[in-house]
Amino acid sequence: MQTQQTDQLPITDCRFCSLVSKANGENPIGTAGTCDYWLMIEIPQPWPQDMFEEIPTIKAFIDFLEEVMVKHRINIRPILIAPDREYSHPGFTRVLYYYRPAKLFSQFEKQEFVLPEEQAITLVTAILKQLIQQPNNLSEFQQYQQQTSHIRELMVCTHAQVDLACGRFGTPLYRRLRKEYAPAANGNLRVWQTTHFGGHQFAPTLVDLPQGCLWGHLEPETLDLLVNRNGSVADLHKFYRGWTGLTKFEQIAEREIWTQLGWTWLDYLKTGKVLAIEEVAQGQEVDWAKVRIDFAAPDGSVSGAYEARVEASGEVISTLNSGKEMELKAVKQYCVSRLVKVESTASS
């Protein structure tokens, strides 16, 4: 297996992990992570590196959050968002909560609350209790719920305290999206700064909700296509980290289907399954996996499934963190070697 390394970027002169990753051609697909729930809380900047210990609001419920995630194995992605001069209200805290609605789905369902900041911890605790089916007072917060299910939210990581690359490359991307694209969307798009959600080496990186797609290595000239979806999906192929409704190898296969079918694919209800995977020792990365993606059109007019074989295609040199002393490592790359359409058996 060959390891590719570029000579275009002197690694010794670079302190940004995302420049190393991008210059060496690291493919971001399959790095989106998988989640069933998103929990986003408005917390003013600055965000310290160890924000879970240093921000009182977070520290108040972090132990319970860890219990929900670890003990109860609830796959939830917590993120902080920065208050916005236009969107936010002094003395109030916004909480965004997204959840997977069904086995087959295309986007996450959303609940948004804007409530007095002293009640935010109580609301978050109630949401977490609901997830593990404990008695809770979530219904008491209905008065603070916002009707914003029509709004698309673009979340850009600008968390420089965790990694320099996110501040260096995420901040200008956020500013451009916020200044140019949000105002032009007639209230249907908001753009936020967020804390880290994984993948420093792909900065600038972005979450597109309610769809739940992640993007990385984004460039200014990609934004029209990403926001407006007015061109060929192939031009976004190398920036796609994956859809968080699927697992790693399913994400790799899903990108191949999306590339073939175009933008309508994103609206199809989907679910994934790993049919077979290479057995390797613990800590080793597999060389192949076979996956299945079942899909259906929202109106039920079309349904089916794809089966794909995903195989290792080589390695590139990358690094996970920015800094003067970066630990370089070989990262296995994957591609779809076989993709066939088959009859669907899944249902929602």
Side-chain angles (χ1 to χ4, degrees), residues 103-159:
K103 182 180 179 182
L104 265 76
F105 76 112
S106 64
Q107 60 184 38
F108 292 82
E109 292 289 332
K110 172 190 182 184
Q111 290 182 350
E112 176 176 346
F113 302 85
V114 177
L115 71 169
E117 55 188 28
E118 65 271 13
Q119 297 187 44
I121 295 171
T122 309
L123 168 62
V124 171
T125 302
I127 291 172
L128 296 175
K129 285 184 175 181
Q130 183 193 53
L131 289 180
I132 58 175
Q133 299 180 338
Q134 283 187 4
N136 62 79
N137 62 339
L138 189 56
S139 61
E140 297 176 13
F141 294 93
Q142 286 184 352
Q143 60 180 310
Y144 301 115
Q145 196 162 339
Q146 309 295 304
Q147 300 305 316
T148 60
S149 58
H150 64 287
I151 297 180
R152 182 181 178 188
E153 317 278 4
L154 297 183
M155 310 281 183
V156 183
C157 179
T158 61
H159 200 178

Side-chain angles (χ1 to χ4, degrees), residues 36-99:
D36 298 317
Y37 307 94
W38 300 83
L39 185 59
M40 300 168 178
I41 308 164
E42 220 174 25
I43 299 287
Q45 295 169 310
W47 299 315
Q49 182 173 9
D50 193 3
M51 58 190 181
F52 296 113
E53 284 296 323
E54 297 183 40
I55 298 177
T57 307
I58 305 301
K59 192 173 183 179
F61 68 84
I62 190 63
D63 289 341
F64 186 39
L65 176 63
E66 289 180 349
E67 178 185 334
V68 170
M69 294 172 68
V70 178
K71 181 180 177 181
H72 296 274
R73 298 183 179 181
I74 301 293
N75 198 347
I76 184 169
R77 189 86 64 98
I79 299 176
L80 304 187
I81 59 176
D84 182 276
R85 187 177 301 173
E86 179 183 340
Y87 309 150
S88 305
H89 310 281
F92 287 79
T93 295
R94 174 177 279 100
V95 175
L96 297 172
Y97 170 55
Y98 289 88
Y99 57 93

Side-chain angles (χ1 to χ4, degrees), residues 150-225:
H150 64 287
I151 297 180
R152 182 181 178 188
E153 317 278 4
L154 297 183
M155 310 281 183
V156 183
C157 179
T158 61
H159 200 178
Q161 290 86 345
V162 170
D163 194 277
L164 292 170
C166 296
R168 171 65 180 83
F169 302 110
T171 301
L173 188 90
Y174 156 76
R175 287 175 178 163
R176 182 163 180 177
L177 284 166
R178 179 66 184 85
K179 182 179 179 181
E180 296 181 21
Y181 291 88
N186 298 317
N188 294 314
L189 172 68
R190 293 186 297 202
V191 181
W192 302 91
Q193 296 185 77
T194 79
T195 54
H196 183 58
F197 46 77
H200 310 302
Q201 71 272 36
F202 303 116
T205 185
L206 173 154
V207 183
D208 189 346
L209 286 163
Q211 206 100 54
C213 296
L214 263 68
W215 304 88
H217 286 161
L218 286 170
E219 300 167 352
E221 56 268 27
T222 64
L223 296 184
D224 266 355
L225 185 55

Side-chain angles (χ1 to χ4, degrees), residues 289-302:
K290 184 179 179 183
V291 302
R292 178 186 179 99
I293 309 292
D294 285 88
F295 70 91
D299 62 2
S301 60
V302 177

